[in-house]
Amino acid sequence: MKYRINKILQGGIFINTSPEDNNTKNSHAYDDAFKTLRTDCPELLIPVINDIFHTSYSKGESLISLANEFFKSANTKKSSLIATDSYIQIEDKKYHIECQSTTDGTMIIRMFEYDAQIAIDSAALENNCLTVKFPNSAVIYLRSSKNTPDVMKVQIETPGGNTSYDVHVIKIKNYTIDDIFEKELYMYIPFYIFTFEPSFGIIEKDKDSLEDLKKQYNDIVKRLDEACKNGKITEYQKNTILELSDIVLNAIAFKYENIRKEVDVIMGGEVLDYPAKRILNQGRSEGLEKGIELGRSEGIELGRSEGIELGHSNGVEEGIKMFILDNIEENIPKDRTIEKLQRRFNITREQAIEKYEKYGENIS
C-alpha cells in the first residue's frame, strides 16, 4: 500500500475504483453536473456549506469562486495540473468540496494533496516565516456503503509537533427529499436518483415500484415550482436543476429504459447541450444589442426594455430549435419530444407540433 501511495503522490495518478464508471463516458456526467451547478448557480452552494460545516451564512452572502486548477511539480521535472471540483471563499474562510461518485480508498490522499496545493498557493511569507492556511474540506459521496467513513482525518507530524484536521463526509443516500427542501439543498437534487440505484433492477420490471418513483419525481418538480414562486430559487436555477437531473439520470440509468423513459418525461427531457444557459446568455446579449440600437437619448430605457424582450424571445426560439434537433439526434420519438416541449417551454400541444414541424421535419 505504501508503494501505491508513493506512486499517487509522485506521479499525480488519481485512481477511481469503479470499473463501470471507468469504462463509460457517462461517469463524467456526475462531475460535470456538480461543476456546472457550482459555476452557473454558485448561490446554491451556500446552504450546502451551512449544512456541512454548521455555519449560518445568509443566502445573499458574497461568495467568491477561486481558481481551482493548480500546477504541481514532481521529481520527474515535469508539472502536472490538478483541479478541484469546488474551491470558494466566503468572508475570510475558504472551502474545498469534492464530489465523488464512488467510495475510493485513495480519496483522503487526494484531498490532502488538493488542500496542500491550496495552502501553498495562498501561503504568506513574512520575516522568514512561511504561513500556510488549509481550507475547510469535505467530500460528497454520491454512492456509499457500510465501509464509507463518516469522517476522514489528516494527521500531520512535524518536527515542531503534531496537528490534524477533519475532512467532512457527506452521503447523498442519507438525505430524504424532505431534508433537501427543508434545508434548501437544491444542489443535491440532480443526484437524488442515486438513492434508488440499488433498486433499479426491481423498479425497471415492477409497475408499482416505477409508479412510486414517478410520484416522487413529480413531487420534486412541484416543490421546485413552489420554491421558484416563493423566491427561494430563480427560474433559471430551477431549469438548470431539472436539466442536470435529466443528464445524470440518463448516465446512471443507461441500462434501464423504463426508468429513463418515465422519469425523463417528468424532468423535461434529454437536454445534453444545456440550452437554459444558452437561452439566458443569448437573450441577454441580443437584448442588450437591440436595446442599444433602438435606444435614443430621450428614450433609452424604453429601447433597452424592448431590446431585452426581443432578445429573450429570440433566445427562447433558438432554445426550442436546438432542443428539437438534440432530441432527433438522440432518436427520441416525435410524440415524446412534443410532450417535453410543452413542459419545458410552457407552450400548448398545437404550438409544440408547429415548432417540431418547423425545425424537425425537413432534416435529411
Side-chain angles (χ1 to χ4, degrees):
M1 186 57 158
K2 288 183 179 179
Y3 173 78
R4 186 185 184 199
I5 291 174
N6 187 53
K7 282 293 184 182
I8 292 169
L9 293 178
Q10 287 190 9
I13 301 170
F14 301 149
I15 300 172
N16 187 324
T17 57
S18 170
E20 180 174 291
D21 281 355
N22 278 331
N23 292 331
T24 68
K25 64 181 181 179
N26 292 330
S27 63
H28 298 296
Y30 316 142
D31 284 341
D32 290 346
F34 184 84
K35 291 175 182 177
T36 298
L37 284 167
R38 181 256 297 165
T39 302
D40 294 352
C41 305
E43 303 85 359
L44 299 183
L45 266 173
I46 292 177
V48 171
I49 289 171
N50 285 338
D51 183 62
I52 296 174
F53 300 102
H54 308 293
T55 51
S56 55
Y57 297 119
S58 65
K59 290 173 62 177
E61 200 77 49
S62 176
L63 183 151
I64 303 171
S65 293
L66 301 173
N68 69 322
E69 294 184 339
F70 305 91
F71 280 101
K72 69 182 189 66
S73 296
N75 294 333
T76 57
K77 297 183 180 180
K78 293 182 179 180
S79 294
S80 59
L81 183 70
I82 61 174
T84 66
D85 285 343
S86 181
Y87 173 35
I88 64 170
Q89 179 174 338
I90 302 178
E91 296 179 350
D92 62 341
K93 293 187 177 180
K94 295 178 180 178
Y95 298 91
H96 165 217
I97 301 174
E98 292 293 315
C99 181
Q100 181 77 358
S101 62
T102 56
T103 301
D104 185 341
T106 67
M107 194 64 203
I108 187 62
I109 302 167
R110 292 157 55 192
M111 289 301 292
F112 173 69
E113 184 172 28
Y114 293 154
D115 292 345
Q117 286 296 146
I118 288 171
I120 291 170
D121 190 64
S122 59
L125 179 62
E126 185 176 357
N127 297 325
N128 296 314
C129 177
L130 180 69
T131 301
V132 291
K133 188 174 182 180
F134 277 63
N136 298 277
S137 294
V139 180
I140 298 173
Y141 279 114
L142 305 182
R143 296 185 180 100
S144 56
S145 68
K146 63 181 180 180
N147 296 321
T148 306
D150 294 323
V151 66
M152 295 185 288
K153 183 181 290 290
V154 174
Q155 180 82 24
I156 304 172
E157 298 180 4
T158 77
N162 300 338
T163 188
S164 67
Y165 71 93
D166 289 343
V167 175
H168 298 259
V169 173
I170 297 299
K171 305 171 187 177
I172 288 295
K173 74 174 187 179
N174 289 344
Y175 289 82
T176 67
I177 202 62
D178 287 336
D179 293 332
I180 289 173
F181 278 94
E182 286 171 10
K183 297 181 179 182
E184 300 186 6
L185 302 173
Y186 304 112
M187 199 166 186
Y188 291 168
I189 290 176
F191 311 107
Y192 184 62
I193 190 67
F194 277 84
T195 63
F196 300 96
E197 187 183 24
S199 303
F200 275 175
I202 296 173
I203 297 172
E204 176 74 8
K205 297 176 182 178
D206 182 70
K207 290 184 179 181
D208 291 338
S209 298
L210 188 58
E211 280 300 315
D212 181 63
L213 180 64
K214 289 169 59 181
K215 286 179 182 178
Q216 292 202 49
Y217 270 89
N218 270 313
D219 182 55
I220 289 173
V221 173
K222 289 178 182 178
R223 294 172 79 163
L224 279 173
D225 286 338
E226 290 174 5
C228 188
K229 290 177 182 177
N230 294 333
K232 294 183 177 180
I233 57 174
T234 65
E235 186 75 23
Y236 175 66
Q237 289 170 340
K238 182 191 77 171
N239 284 335
T240 300
I241 291 168
L242 290 174
E243 289 165 0
L244 293 176
S245 296
D246 194 63
I247 290 173
V248 172
L249 165 71
N250 279 276
I252 191 175
F254 69 97
K255 293 181 180 178
Y256 302 94
E257 183 179 356
N258 290 333
I259 293 175
R260 283 189 291 108
K261 178 181 177 182
E262 297 299 331
V263 180
D264 177 74
V265 171
I266 296 169
M267 301 307 284
E270 297 167 69
V271 193
L272 299 181
D273 67 346
Y274 190 27
K277 184 176 182 179
R278 183 172 59 249
I279 293 169
L280 181 70
N281 290 339
Q282 184 170 343
R284 283 175 174 171
S285 176
E286 293 185 13
L288 183 58
E289 280 184 28
K290 195 65 178 178
I292 293 173
E293 181 183 331
L294 295 176
R296 296 290 185 273
S297 58
E298 69 276 8
I300 192 167
E301 288 304 317
L302 176 61
R304 288 183 183 272
S305 176
E306 291 175 353
I308 290 170
E309 183 178 346
L310 177 60
H312 174 74
S313 175
N314 289 344
V316 171
E317 189 69 19
E318 179 66 15
I320 290 174
K321 177 182 177 180
M322 296 305 298
F323 183 89
I324 291 170
L325 295 178
D326 283 340
N327 277 261
I328 291 174
E329 184 179 347
E330 296 295 322
N331 296 317
I332 306 300
K334 176 179 177 179
D335 288 343
R336 194 163 152 225
T337 300
I338 288 171
E339 289 178 6
K340 293 192 291 183
L341 273 171
Q342 291 176 253
R343 182 175 186 85
R344 174 71 59 181
F345 296 96
N346 194 26
I347 58 179
T348 66
R349 179 172 177 79
E350 289 73 20
Q351 289 172 323
I353 293 173
E354 180 183 347
K355 299 295 184 185
Y356 191 95
E357 291 175 348
K358 179 179 180 180
Y359 297 119
E361 294 290 321
N362 296 324
I363 296 179
S364 54

